[in-house]
Amino acid sequence: MTKVAPILLILCTLFVQLSSGINYVTIPVQMQSQGYDNTMIGTAMSFEIVGMLLLFRPLSHCIGKWGLFNSLVIFTLARAASLFLMSYCTNYPLWLFCIFFYGLSTGLTLVITQTWLNMLAQGKSKGLFMGLFSSSLSCGIALGPVALQMPWLNRIWPFELGTLITCIPLCLYILMRKQQSTTQEMGKVRFLFAFRHAKVILTAAFVGGISFFGLPSFLTLYGMQNGLSEPQSQLLLTMFMIGSVSLGMLMSTLSSLINRSTIVLVCLFCSVVCAVYLSISIYTQYWLALTLLFFWGGSLGGIYGIGLASLGDRFCKQDQMTANMSHSIMDSLGGMIGLLIIGIMLDTFGPEGMTAVFVTVGSALLVFFVYELLAPRPTYE
C-alpha cells in the first residue's frame, strides 16, 4: 500500500479539481444570469480564498491534532455540503457564505494532500510524483468544462454533480488511512521562515495564483464578451489546462536534466508573450487563441511543478507543512488580489483589462527573477 498510496492521492486530487473545473464555469455564469456584474463576481470568487488566509494558523493546529486522514474527511464533507447549498443560492450574501466555506475546505484539502504526498514520495520518485500532482491539479480543471458539455448531463444540476464527484475521494482516503503521518511529523506553520528560504518560489506562487484563480474564473466570460459562444468560451479554459497538464509536465521533467533557472526563465518569457497576443488572437482566429492558451498554461504549469519539487527538496520532513501551507497562502493571496483586480479591470476597460493584468504581473515577475539570478546570493538553485 505504501507504493500505491501516492497514486491514490494523485487520483483524489484529480477528482477534487474535476469538481472545481465545473464550478469555475458554473458559478460565474450562474451569478451573471442573476444580474451581478464582473466586479461583484470577482469579489464573490475571492471569498474562495479569504478563509484560507484568515484561518490558516488555527486550522493548521487542528490538522496536527486530528491527523491527516480525519482532516481530509472533515474538509471533504464540508466542501460537499457547501457545493450542494450553492444550488439554492438566490442572493449575494448566501453566495459569499457558500463560496467562503467551499474555498476554505478546497484549499485545505489540497494542502493536506500535497503534504501527505511529499511525506510518502521519497528518493528519485519525488520529482515524478510532484509533477503528476501538479498535472492532476490542471487536468481536473480542464475536464470540468468538457463534462458540462456531455449530452447526458442535465445543465440544471451542475452543483449536485460537483457534490457527487467531491465525495468520491472519501473511498480512496479510507484505503490510505494507515499511511498517515503522526502529528509530530507535521511541525507548525512558520511563514516567514519559509519565505526567507524560498523567496523566489513563493513569489512565483503569488503570481501563479493570479493566473490559476483569475483565468479559470473569468476566461469563460472573457470569451463570451469577445463574441464566442458559451461552448467555445468553455473550451478556452480546457485548452489552458491541457497545456498545463501536458507541456507543464514536460517542463517539470526537463528541470531534472536542465538548469531549473533556465527552464523557469523560458516559461516566464513565454507566458508574458502569450498574454500579450491573446487579446489580438481572440478577435481574429479562434484556433490561434487556443494555441496561445495551450502554451500559456504549459508555461505556468511548468513553473508551478518546478516550485513544488523545489519545496520538497529544500525543506526537511518536519517543515513540509510549513512549506506547503506557505506556498498555498501565497498562491491564495495572489488569487484573491487577482480576482478583485481582474473584475474591476473588466468592468472598467472591457475584455482588454483582463489581459493587461496578466501582462503586468508576468513582466514584474520576469524582472524580479532576472534580478535574483544576477544578485550575488543564492536564490532558486
Side-chain angles (χ1 to χ4, degrees):
M1 179 57 70
T2 302
K3 294 182 179 179
V4 179
I7 301 298
L8 294 179
L9 285 173
I10 291 169
L11 287 175
C12 291
T13 304
L14 180 66
F15 284 114
V16 170
Q17 291 297 85
L18 176 58
S19 63
S20 295
I22 294 173
N23 296 321
Y24 277 132
V25 173
T26 55
I27 293 176
V29 172
Q30 183 70 18
M31 293 188 70
Q32 188 182 58
S33 69
Q34 294 181 4
Y36 300 112
D37 59 24
N38 290 315
T39 301
M40 296 184 73
I41 294 173
T43 302
M45 295 300 288
S46 70
F47 268 65
E48 182 179 347
I49 307 161
V50 169
M52 186 72 176
L53 296 174
L54 294 179
L55 303 176
F56 78 93
R57 287 191 181 277
L59 286 172
S60 64
H61 174 72
C62 293
I63 293 170
K65 183 178 180 180
W66 297 336
L68 296 175
F69 171 77
N70 292 330
S71 299
L72 279 173
V73 172
I74 291 171
F75 292 128
T76 299
L77 292 176
R79 186 171 188 262
S82 59
L83 272 177
F84 183 77
L85 188 58
M86 284 184 194
S87 303
Y88 304 95
C89 286
T90 56
N91 58 74
Y92 198 68
L94 187 57
W95 275 113
L96 297 181
F97 175 82
C98 292
I99 293 174
F100 175 86
F101 282 100
Y102 161 74
L104 175 64
S105 54
T106 300
L108 289 172
T109 297
L110 293 176
V111 168
I112 297 169
T113 304
Q114 180 181 329
T115 302
W116 199 351
L117 180 60
N118 250 326
M119 291 178 176
L120 290 176
Q122 299 298 325
K124 296 181 179 179
S125 62
K126 178 183 284 286
L128 174 62
F129 282 127
M130 296 315 296
L132 289 173
F133 175 79
S134 177
S135 296
S136 67
L137 292 172
S138 301
C139 186
I141 295 178
L143 292 174
V146 176
L148 287 174
Q149 298 187 35
M150 294 294 181
W152 49 267
L153 178 62
N154 187 340
R155 291 294 301 277
I156 297 176
W157 50 278
F159 291 117
E160 287 83 350
L161 176 68
T163 303
L164 290 174
I165 294 174
T166 295
C167 293
I168 292 176
L170 287 175
C171 301
L172 301 178
Y173 295 146
I174 293 174
L175 295 176
M176 298 178 292
R177 184 172 185 175
K178 295 183 179 180
Q179 301 297 321
Q180 65 176 322
S181 300
T182 63
T183 54
Q184 286 77 18
E185 292 176 320
M186 300 283 288
K188 68 176 182 178
V189 177
R190 297 179 294 165
F191 176 77
L192 293 179
F193 166 80
F195 189 80
R196 282 198 306 269
H197 291 277
K199 185 189 302 181
V200 178
I201 299 173
L202 296 182
T203 304
F206 175 83
V207 175
I210 296 176
S211 300
F212 279 112
F213 281 95
L215 272 175
S217 297
F218 285 106
L219 196 53
T220 301
L221 297 180
Y222 173 78
M224 294 170 65
Q225 290 175 5
N226 279 289
L228 299 179
S229 65
E230 186 173 339
Q232 286 179 317
S233 301
Q234 291 173 358
L235 289 179
L236 294 176
L237 173 58
T238 298
M239 186 58 70
F240 176 81
M241 291 302 172
I242 288 176
S244 180
V245 172
S246 56
L247 191 57
M249 183 66 184
L250 177 62
M251 294 295 103
S252 298
T253 304
L254 287 176
S255 67
S256 62
L257 305 174
I258 305 174
N259 184 275
R260 283 178 178 173
S261 298
T262 303
I263 297 293
V264 172
L265 188 61
V266 172
C267 289
L268 282 174
F269 180 77
C270 182
S271 66
V272 173
V273 171
C274 291
V276 169
Y277 285 99
L278 177 64
S279 59
I280 300 174
S281 65
I282 200 76
Y283 290 111
T284 56
Q285 298 291 335
Y286 178 64
W287 66 267
L288 182 57
L290 293 177
T291 302
L292 288 172
L293 284 167
F294 175 82
F295 283 102
W296 193 357
S299 300
L300 294 177
I303 296 171
Y304 192 89
I306 293 171
L308 291 180
S310 298
L311 284 179
D313 293 338
R314 183 163 298 189
F315 292 91
C316 63
K317 193 172 186 180
Q318 288 75 15
D319 291 322
Q320 284 299 311
M321 178 59 76
T322 287
N324 293 321
M325 186 68 84
S326 299
H327 187 275
S328 183
I329 288 170
M330 291 296 288
D331 186 52
S332 300
L333 183 62
M336 184 182 69
I337 294 174
L339 286 167
L340 294 173
I341 294 176
I342 292 170
I344 293 172
M345 292 290 285
L346 277 171
D347 285 335
T348 305
F349 300 102
E352 291 79 8
M354 186 186 78
T355 52
V357 174
F358 294 118
V359 171
T360 301
V361 298
S363 300
L365 179 59
L366 180 61
V367 171
F368 174 70
F369 185 76
V370 172
Y371 168 77
E372 288 292 313
L373 284 178
L374 297 177
R377 57 182 180 274
T379 55
Y380 209 80
E381 290 295 323

